[in-house]
Amino acid sequence: MVDKEKLKKEDTLALRRKHIGPSCKLFFKEDPLKIVRASGCYMYDEEGRRYLDCINNVCHVGHCHPHVVSAATKQMAILNTNSRFLHDNLVLYAQRLTSLFPEKLNVCYFVNSGSEANDLALRLARTHTGNKDVITLDHAYHGHVSSIIDISPYKFNHPGGNGKPDWVHVVPVADVYRGKYTDKDHTLEDLATKYADEVKQACEAATKQGGGVCIFYAESMQSCGGQIVYPPGYLQQVFKHVRAAGGVCLADEVQVGFGRVGSHMWAFQTHGPDVVPDIVTLGKPMGNGHPVSAVITTREISDSFGATGMEYFNTFGGNPVSATISNAVLDVIENEKLLEHATMIGNYLKQEFNRLKEKHMLIGDVRGQGMFLGVDLVKSRDTREPATAEAAFINKRLKEQYVLLSADGPYRNVLKFKSPLVFSLDDCKELVDKLDNIMTEMEQAEKAALGKVIVNGSVEHTNHQVSNPSPNEIQVKV
């Protein structure tokens, strides 16, 4: 037996290639990281090098938070079993969790991942409404199980996807910067109505085709689509159209919930007190790295599901250890005032990103709230042409400087900030300074590459030395 602690990086990679399915991808494909430990906002490789983690929205209250680790190990030493036995941890956590929602959202189903939560939510909605059709936003991703890939354009419209089923209606995401309708031509109020009217038309199509409107799926702020914040009033109108057509409305909080937006515990609350979904799905940050998730819904919907007579049982969902860990995460959020911290850090970072925007024409838009931020990179602010290669180049250079950041959106040109909530002001300064320096390097390289002088009516290239090639000179796979 090989001592796993003594594997060289290349041996670990070789074993992964041999035994792990090839569709399971790594960050930084050309030079993947081997991470052996983590704490707070920092991850460490096998050589002890520290990386600033701006990617990990799973370890929500910080990697290996001592309170969460202690709670988990103590409960593991006492009992872990399924939820067919009575146990206080399950019901006390359910009581605490639902107290953070509007009153009508008071019933929990505990599962193990966001994908599983969204799959169960679809079952609940179909049972309750008796309808089949789903309305989903373009570029949306709600999970990897078959039923949810079917409603995730981020998957079914990409390599290996089979396109959308007939019962799925894809509507344009309400992206005011580079969507179907933009703030170039319309006010935010008009944009809200125009994008909501797309949902209304989808409701009419679903009804006409005979499937009927079952459910409208949307992240409260869209992540994989490029950190999209919908215009004010959009969800109010959408929920009205969907419910008038006999459907229910779901808020996917898997990536944006548990205080990431700072001002509220749940991102759907940022849209106003009159935006109350019928179903909410939770996941990633709920267990700070432990696999636990949930569906929160109304008594009416849960009663419809129960009335079928089919038992719902989940072997690991809501077990005593998962409930204990989830409860400990809420302890940390509250005791360390992480919502207030997310607001403070988010405001500072957004201010600094906008300062960089004034300096670097590469930045077309800065958007988001709290610690859910996006920096949209463009080749031209006039055309808003996405700067895909530049985003990949920046992430490569940041990694070389021990900062981990990712890019997403339909063109992979949006730098996504979604770090653990314990990110500090010093961490912000490190990220911003390095991002600023890299963009400055890129501009200098571009000027050097294009530097020309006119000599006697002819063009002569200047002899600049460029230490780093521009994104157009290399192909970077991240």
Side-chain angles (χ1 to χ4, degrees):
M1 178 67 73
V2 177
D3 184 347
K4 65 179 183 297
E5 297 300 325
K6 294 183 179 179
L7 282 179
K8 293 181 179 179
K9 178 178 173 179
E10 55 267 30
D11 295 331
T12 303
L13 184 57
L15 283 173
R16 181 180 174 110
R17 286 171 174 164
K18 182 177 180 180
H19 296 296
I20 305 300
S23 55
C24 300
K25 303 298 184 183
L26 288 161
F27 283 128
F28 310 108
K29 180 179 178 181
E30 299 300 324
D31 182 28
L33 292 175
K34 181 176 180 178
I35 297 298
V36 298
R37 67 183 181 93
S39 176
C41 283
Y42 310 116
M43 305 180 81
Y44 300 85
D45 69 10
E46 77 283 6
E47 300 295 335
R49 291 174 293 226
R50 190 213 80 174
Y51 291 83
L52 179 60
D53 182 5
C54 306
I55 291 176
N56 216 311
N57 59 347
V58 177
C59 292
H60 193 60
V61 300
H63 291 277
C64 305
H65 193 287
H67 178 66
V68 178
V69 172
S70 175
T73 54
K74 286 178 181 177
Q75 183 57 50
M76 283 181 189
I78 298 170
L79 172 71
N80 200 24
T81 187
N82 65 63
S83 59
R84 279 182 165 145
F85 298 98
L86 283 173
H87 197 279
D88 291 347
N89 291 7
L90 173 67
V91 295
L92 290 175
Y93 179 66
Q95 181 184 48
R96 185 179 186 183
L97 182 62
T98 55
S99 74
L100 303 173
F101 284 90
E103 186 176 358
K104 79 170 192 175
L105 294 166
N106 54 28
V107 180
C108 300
Y109 294 88
F110 291 108
V111 289
N112 308 290
S113 70
S115 298
E116 198 175 348
N118 279 314
D119 175 74
L120 176 58
L122 183 56
R123 287 180 61 191
L124 292 171
R126 282 185 167 156
T127 302
H128 182 68
T129 65
N131 296 332
K132 182 177 182 179
D133 288 17
V134 174
I135 299 172
T136 189
L137 301 179
D138 201 5
H139 315 306
Y141 174 65
H142 296 287
H144 64 79
V145 298
S146 296
S147 64
I148 303 304
I149 287 177
D150 280 346
I151 66 169
S152 297
Y154 186 78
K155 288 296 183 183
F156 67 61
N157 276 338
H158 285 245
N162 296 318
K164 74 176 186 67
D166 292 340
W167 48 269
V168 173
H169 305 263
V170 179
V171 297
V173 61
D175 178 354
V176 303
Y177 184 71
R178 64 170 65 257
K180 181 176 180 179
Y181 314 106
T182 73
D183 55 8
K184 275 187 172 183
D185 304 309
H186 305 282
T187 65
L188 288 178
E189 184 178 359
D190 287 343
L191 287 167
T193 299
K194 282 185 171 295
Y195 279 114
D197 283 348
E198 296 278 347
V199 177
K200 183 178 181 181
Q201 292 168 25
C203 290
E204 292 168 352
T207 302
K208 184 177 181 180
Q209 291 171 15
V213 179
C214 171
I215 186 170
F216 169 76
Y217 263 81
E219 291 180 278
S220 302
M221 295 179 183
Q222 195 182 63
S223 179
C224 290
Q227 310 296 84
I228 306 301
V229 179
Y230 315 130
Y234 168 69
L235 283 184
Q236 282 93 335
Q237 295 181 60
V238 167
F239 281 20
K240 180 180 178 181
H241 295 325
V242 171
R243 286 167 176 158
V248 296
C249 300
L250 178 143
D252 183 332
E253 294 270 340
V254 170
Q255 299 215 48
V256 293
F258 288 95
R260 177 158 294 279
V261 296
S263 61
H264 299 81
M265 182 63 92
W266 314 114
F268 73 79
Q269 294 171 315
T270 65
H271 298 278
D274 52 340
V275 174
V276 180
D278 304 293
I279 305 174
V280 179
T281 50
L282 309 176
K284 296 183 187 299
M286 187 171 171
N288 209 52
H290 179 81
V292 59
S293 60
V295 179
I296 314 297
T297 190
T298 65
R299 175 59 60 186
E300 292 76 18
I301 291 174
S302 66
D303 283 349
S304 295
F305 193 57
T308 65
M310 181 184 291
E311 176 191 11
Y312 178 76
F313 171 65
N314 189 298
T315 301
F316 300 109
N319 68 71
V321 171
S322 293
T324 295
I325 290 171
S326 301
N327 200 53
V329 170
L330 288 183
D331 288 343
V332 177
I333 291 172
E334 293 177 6
N335 295 339
E336 298 187 11
K337 301 185 185 308
L338 291 184
L339 269 72
E340 293 91 332
H341 184 75
T343 296
M344 184 268 290
I345 291 295
N347 288 344
Y348 176 79
L349 264 182
K350 198 169 184 182
Q351 168 191 297
E352 289 299 289
F353 288 155
N354 275 308
R355 179 178 64 81
L356 295 186
K357 179 182 175 185
E358 293 178 1
K359 182 178 179 181
H360 303 290
M361 293 299 291
L362 181 61
I363 298 177
D365 189 38
V366 175
R367 54 182 176 260
Q369 181 175 327
M371 296 176 74
F372 181 81
L373 300 175
V375 179
D376 196 311
L377 304 184
V378 297
K379 292 180 179 292
S380 162
R381 289 186 180 176
D382 290 333
T383 65
R384 300 183 179 181
E385 180 185 354
T388 301
E390 288 82 351
F393 179 79
I394 287 170
N395 283 334
K396 176 181 180 292
R397 292 288 289 122
L398 282 171
K399 175 189 171 253
E400 291 169 355
Q401 297 179 34
Y402 308 107
V403 174
L404 305 180
L405 193 66
S406 64
D408 218 331
Y411 304 101
R412 301 281 178 180
N413 70 305
V414 181
L415 302 179
K416 295 176 64 173
F417 175 80
K418 51 189 180 70
S419 77
L421 293 195
V422 293
F423 210 77
S424 70
L425 281 173
D426 285 342
D427 297 329
C428 291
K429 291 171 184 175
E430 179 180 351
L431 169 62
V432 171
D433 286 348
K434 290 180 176 178
L435 189 59
D436 185 14
N437 290 338
I438 291 166
M439 288 185 174
T440 300
E441 288 175 7
M442 293 168 68
E443 290 163 356
Q444 292 172 345
E446 185 76 13
K447 288 178 182 177
L450 296 175
K452 300 174 183 179
V453 294
I454 305 297
V455 180
N456 296 326
S458 63
V459 176
E460 182 178 294
H461 291 273
T462 58
N463 186 28
H464 290 284
Q465 296 297 316
V466 183
S467 58
N468 294 299
S470 71
N472 292 329
E473 296 169 328
I474 63 172
Q475 291 295 320
V476 182
K477 296 180 180 178
V478 178

